[in-house]
Amino acid sequence: MATQGDRVSVLPGDEIPASLIPSHPKRALKLGPGLRHVPPSELIPTVAGQLVTDRKKNSIWVEYNGGRYIPAVGDLVVCTVQRSGPDYYFVTITEYSSNAILPQLAFEMATKKTRPQLNHGALVYARVCLANRHMDPELECVSPTTGKADGLGPLVGGMLYDISLGMSRRLLMRKSVEEGKVAVLEELGSAGLAFETAVGRNGKLWVNSDNVKTILIVGRAVKETDDGNLSVEQQKKLVRKLIKEMS
Amino acid sequence: MPREAEPSLNERAFVIQALQEGQRLDGRAFDQFRKLDLKFGDQYGVADVTLGKTRLIAKVSAEVTTPYTDRPFDGIFTITTELSPMVSPAFEVNRPTETEVLLSRLIEKTVRRSNALDLESLCLVAGQKCWSVRVDLHVLSHDGNLIDASCLAVVAALRHFKKPDTSIEGDAVTIYTAAEREPVPLSWLHSPFCVTFSFYGENGEITLIDASLLEEQLRVSSCTISLNKHGEICQVAKLGGTPVEAISLIQCASAAVNKVKEFSTLVDTKLADDLKRRDKGGLMAELSAENER
């Protein structure tokens, strides 16, 4: 186990000291991905990564970058429509894995007559609403309680980039600059570029803008940050370089 | 059999639009290669080529066998390519996809049929014994332009390779180990390289060099030209796709000459570096039993 600043890195099989495990008087301890509970009270990491704890929620997990996306309920994903069935669209969340289903009525204001017509290859931003181990996952583009889309739905135009799963988690963090250490999107925005993005937990980033060059800059900035594992300072430098190059 | 994942409609539309505005996804110029790197292994005849995120390893091996009965004076030279499921789930073992068949066919045409390797020099005893040289090409990761990268890997590996020295007395052939006599390089006549051009637009008016995987999936047609640094064309392959203007093919050929000259210099310098690395104490010249040609 290595500690660097406030970050703790673990290897599979490491011992986790009790001081790092959160203890809450009322809530039960929640284990996230990458940890295994050996009764009665031992916790063993199963992957190499950064140990993260949330004392408020009384949860602990290992943040790692790699592997294949496994759908979990509540995740936002960018998926591709493969074909349309009588009541469902069959979509892929990850290439070369089995299809997920997206009901044709699971869009905002969709009725039998007003449902969106999606062709093979169209992109949809959706939420996973059912994910069981041996079943195809089910998606939705509308909140079942409010009936609002909340930004979900078909993605028109723009460009899709493949990013690592770790990068997509970092981008989706509530405070992505402080916690996730990704400042590229904020930097690009403050440099005066107008664009919109949709981040899928399945390692997809959709970028749209009126200007082709803006899309290219955003895509390259995020991909290079991801590939090079750049720090916040380096990201700022990269953004300045890219903007200079493209203008 | 899993099919290769197709790019979405958005990607298709955007890449074409960006190309029409003169931009590539990774910011390269239209006639620019990705970062090309060539490394040699500790053994003779192992070349490791990295082109952007595409990576291949070529390994050359040689053994003594009986020659083919219809070609008693020639040695045997085979090239095998392997695209394993490690590269992409769309590839399966023992079931070659179209990509793999085209790849091995083009490499075969470029290197073997252009007589880059002098087969007669592989003959030991006519009709009885000859060297069989085999190149195994392993693709480790596929991000487009496999053909150019693998041709470079095969040529570099063959030029780096040395086969054991032999001596013949009557019908008895002695093969010396590396400790007894310094191995000898293959008799290499010229170095052909492939350059692949991808065409976009309705009439193929946009031409790209070194297309990435996404760009490769979206092209309307492609053309592979193999030639050596003297500008001698070994083969031109344009397999189907949209017809292309004759003028642009000629422009491609002249662009290919410049690229091949760069490849040629790269392989030459890397080979010279490798030789220097191996030649400890400057004994290599003395150990070699080879005569100047």
Side-chain angles (χ1 to χ4, degrees), chain A residues 188-205:
Chain A
L188 288 162
S190 59
L193 299 181
F195 59 92
E196 54 176 334
T197 59
V199 186
R201 274 293 290 266
N202 53 341
K204 304 275 182 198
L205 172 73

Side-chain angles (χ1 to χ4, degrees), chain B:
Chain B
M1 187 166 123
R3 271 191 308 175
E4 202 175 346
E6 288 173 26
S8 63
L9 293 175
N10 305 46
E11 286 166 274
R12 276 172 198 277
F14 180 77
V15 171
I16 302 299
Q17 195 194 347
L19 286 178
Q20 271 158 357
E21 293 189 14
Q23 302 283 342
R24 276 174 97 161
L25 281 187
D26 39 13
R28 276 184 288 156
F30 280 10
D31 58 348
Q32 195 185 348
F33 261 76
R34 285 169 284 180
K35 197 173 171 296
L36 181 62
D37 194 22
L38 170 64
K39 281 195 205 104
F40 293 107
D42 287 334
Q43 265 180 310
Y44 284 122
V46 179
D48 177 347
V49 170
T50 318
L51 177 65
K53 280 184 182 165
T54 299
R55 189 170 171 200
L56 316 114
I57 284 184
K59 177 160 186 350
V60 186
S61 49
E63 60 176 3
V64 176
T65 48
T66 15
Y68 296 129
T69 42
D70 55 336
R71 299 203 153 268
F73 304 107
D74 283 356
I76 299 171
F77 176 37
T78 46
I79 303 173
T80 53
T81 49
E82 190 178 294
L83 283 171
S84 69
M86 182 173 75
V87 179
S88 148
F91 299 127
E92 274 181 292
V93 180
N94 293 334
R95 199 190 279 180
T97 54
E98 197 185 295
T99 331
E100 183 169 353
V101 174
L102 287 183
L103 175 68
S104 56
R105 181 88 191 108
L106 273 174
I107 302 293
E108 183 104 356
K109 275 207 284 188
T110 307
V111 182
R112 218 165 78 96
R113 295 249 296 247
S114 73
N115 281 331
L117 180 64
D118 180 17
L119 287 186
E120 281 182 19
S121 72
L122 297 177
C123 178
L124 294 169
V125 181
Q128 287 176 24
K129 284 190 182 72
C130 71
W131 281 109
S132 160
V133 175
R134 175 193 164 102
V135 188
D136 289 282
L137 184 75
H138 297 278
V139 179
L140 303 183
S141 81
H142 177 18
D143 189 28
N145 208 8
L146 280 184
I147 292 173
D148 298 7
S150 46
C151 186
L152 186 91
V154 167
V155 168
L158 280 165
R159 285 184 58 184
H160 186 248
F161 181 65
K162 291 188 179 181
K163 64 180 194 306
D165 200 3
T166 52
S167 69
I168 305 161
E169 283 169 36
D171 269 359
V173 179
T174 321
I175 300 171
Y176 297 100
T177 61
E180 287 170 320
R181 279 196 197 177
E182 179 63 17
V184 287
L186 298 171
S187 150
W188 192 249
L189 300 179
H190 71 119
S191 301
F193 295 101
C194 296
V195 181
T196 305
F197 298 87
S198 305
F199 301 103
Y200 299 83
E202 251 167 58
N203 303 314
E205 60 272 4
I206 302 170
T207 312
L208 291 192
I209 283 184
D210 187 25
S212 68
L213 184 58
L214 179 61
E215 286 167 341
E216 251 178 26
Q217 285 174 324
L218 300 180
R219 67 189 174 195
V220 291
S221 74
S222 74
C223 172
T224 303
I225 302 179
S226 311
L227 66 175
N228 58 21
K229 66 175 172 187
H230 308 295
E232 295 162 343
I233 293 184
C234 306
Q235 62 100 12
V236 179
K238 183 174 175 319
L239 310 165
T242 313
V244 173
E245 292 280 333
I247 297 283
S248 65
L249 268 191
I250 292 171
Q251 283 168 347
C252 289
S254 54
V257 179
N258 294 331
K259 286 293 160 199
V260 165
K261 279 180 186 157
E262 284 172 31
F263 289 162
S264 202
T265 341
L266 175 85
V267 174
D268 287 346
T269 46
K270 291 283 178 183
L271 278 170
D273 287 351
D274 186 70
L275 192 67
K276 217 180 271 171
R277 185 170 65 88
R278 284 165 194 279
D279 191 8
K280 285 190 185 114
L283 283 172
M284 212 56 123
E286 219 164 298
L287 281 172
S288 171
E290 215 188 349
N291 294 319
E292 285 286 322
R293 276 219 271 177

